[in-house]
Amino acid sequence: MKVAFLVSAVADEKDIYTTTALAREAARRGHDVAFVDIDGLSVAPDGRMHAVARHVRRPHDGPADFLREVVATVPEPLAVEKLDVLMLRNTPAFDALRRPWAQPVGHLFGELARRSGVVVLSDPRGLALAGPDKLYTLRFPERLRPRTLITRDVDAAREFVGDLAGDAIVKPLHGCCGQDVFLLVRGDPNVRPIFEAVAAHGYAVVQEYLPANERGSLRLFMLDGEPLTAGGSIAAMRLLPRDGEIRSNFGVAGTIAAPDPDDGTAEVLHEIAEAAGPVLAADGMFLAALDIVGGKILEVGLWSPGGLRGAQRLAGADFVGAVIDAATGRLAAAGAEG
């Protein structure tokens, strides 16, 4: 299998990232693996798509050595139509303020690759319709979503917060990694300036604060609309916030822990998966991560969900291998259909 991983920037990748683990596992299995930067794509006059790619020569014993060689590799031309699989692992939300032009590149060029016969994961058409990850929760049943307002109108935000039974969280619609997330306390005179600061660069998401968040959040990995499993274990973990921290996003979480099998978590994950799975599958979402608090889906990671290595370590199960198995399965199915 010839597989390329499209990333925002190879130089920004880390050895702990899920993308690194997936690429290394694919290389370990003998697949032809390459990394492509989001700015390394082009379309020739004949309509064919090309890329500048860093090819992986060997899997190495450890992820740090593996990634170090990838970064040091001299980029080479790659005819995208010669690929079997293109995995979209860039992060549009991360690029939103740094380089807005990069936001639509993944699904636009991904769609061109799909039309040339490449298996693109996730489906670029579904990703284009999904918009920002934070909007995607609207695709799920209302009972699985916290009360949420998306607006740039400060008066609407103040009214929304005032109508809630408790406090609210405000965060940028195009944000990621827990950046610019604030608590809005009912009756606090600072609601206006906090909201205006968040909304200064675009739409803001105002969401009811769920007290269960103090105990952290759950991250459930979904693969082709089903819970990702390996060796009888489900890929899920608990993200525990640091003391005094309202955020439990993976990038700012204090620690991770295995889900407690005796606190009803299994039932919650089952209910969430049953409701969200068909939507993810219908939209062609390959690997996704659902962040859950108090039985509600706070956010969905569609482009480059992280933390899979942590879930794998906690469960002692080969979730990374299961994802590569699914990718080769998609390729085989596409070949059978062709």
Side-chain angles (χ1 to χ4, degrees):
M1 175 174 71
K2 293 183 178 180
V3 55
F5 292 81
L6 182 66
V7 298
S8 291
V10 169
D12 292 337
E13 293 297 303
K14 297 182 180 179
D15 56 15
I16 61 172
Y17 282 0
T18 297
T19 302
T20 302
L22 293 172
R24 181 167 169 262
E25 176 62 17
R28 189 189 69 79
R29 296 182 179 203
H31 298 301
D32 185 348
V33 178
F35 278 79
V36 177
D37 280 350
I38 198 71
D39 61 357
L41 299 165
S42 61
V43 180
D46 62 4
R48 295 185 177 182
M49 187 170 150
H50 300 271
V52 178
R54 288 177 168 88
H55 292 270
V56 175
R57 305 303 180 191
R58 48 185 177 160
H60 285 285
D61 292 332
D65 289 338
F66 171 78
L67 185 58
R68 191 176 298 114
E69 180 165 313
V70 171
V71 173
T73 299
V74 177
E76 301 174 0
L78 171 70
V80 174
E81 65 181 14
K82 300 296 184 181
L83 288 172
D84 295 310
V85 174
L86 175 64
M87 296 194 71
L88 303 179
R89 296 286 303 178
N90 58 304
T91 311
F94 185 75
D95 288 324
L97 297 178
R98 187 177 63 168
R99 44 180 188 178
W101 59 265
Q103 281 188 277
V105 169
H107 66 75
L108 292 176
F109 280 79
E111 175 60 12
L112 290 177
R114 188 194 66 81
R115 292 178 186 175
S116 69
V118 179
V119 174
V120 182
L121 305 173
S122 291
D123 190 325
R125 294 166 297 181
L127 290 170
L129 293 174
D133 287 356
K134 290 181 178 65
L135 272 182
Y136 196 76
T137 56
L138 298 177
R139 300 274 288 130
F140 302 134
E142 187 174 356
R143 73 179 190 280
L144 297 181
R145 296 184 271 116
R147 289 191 63 194
T148 302
L149 171 70
I150 300 172
T151 186
R152 297 198 73 214
D153 185 333
V154 64
D155 293 324
R158 291 182 64 186
E159 181 179 353
F160 176 79
V161 175
D163 289 341
L164 294 175
D167 301 327
I169 293 291
V170 61
K171 50 193 174 183
L173 177 62
H174 288 91
C176 69
C177 307
Q179 294 179 346
D180 297 326
V181 178
F182 298 95
L183 180 67
L184 298 180
V185 179
R186 293 175 74 246
D188 189 328
N190 291 315
V191 167
R192 175 180 288 272
I194 291 173
F195 176 85
E196 289 178 342
V198 174
H201 300 290
Y203 277 89
V205 178
V206 188
Q207 200 169 66
E208 67 172 320
Y209 178 73
L210 302 174
N213 188 65
E214 296 175 2
R215 301 188 298 275
S217 62
L218 286 167
R219 174 161 294 186
L220 171 63
F221 291 91
M222 301 287 289
L223 185 66
D224 283 332
E226 299 286 344
L228 170 56
T229 60
S233 297
I234 294 178
M237 60 183 175
R238 188 171 292 280
L239 309 178
L240 306 175
R242 298 184 177 94
D243 290 342
E245 177 62 77
I246 62 171
R247 301 169 298 172
S248 58
N249 307 68
F250 187 74
V252 296
T255 56
I256 61 173
D260 188 339
D262 300 320
D263 66 354
T265 295
E267 290 78 7
V268 170
L269 295 181
H270 177 74
E271 179 185 1
I272 294 288
E274 274 205 329
V279 177
L280 292 165
D283 290 342
M285 300 305 173
F286 180 62
L287 179 63
L290 308 179
D291 287 341
I292 304 160
V293 171
K296 307 282 188 180
I297 302 174
L298 292 188
E299 291 190 14
V300 185
L302 299 174
W303 282 89
S304 186
L308 191 58
R309 289 176 68 246
Q312 177 163 292
R313 174 172 56 82
L314 292 169
D318 187 11
F319 297 133
V320 171
V323 174
I324 299 302
D325 286 340
T328 57
R330 283 279 200 102
L331 178 60
E337 291 175 0

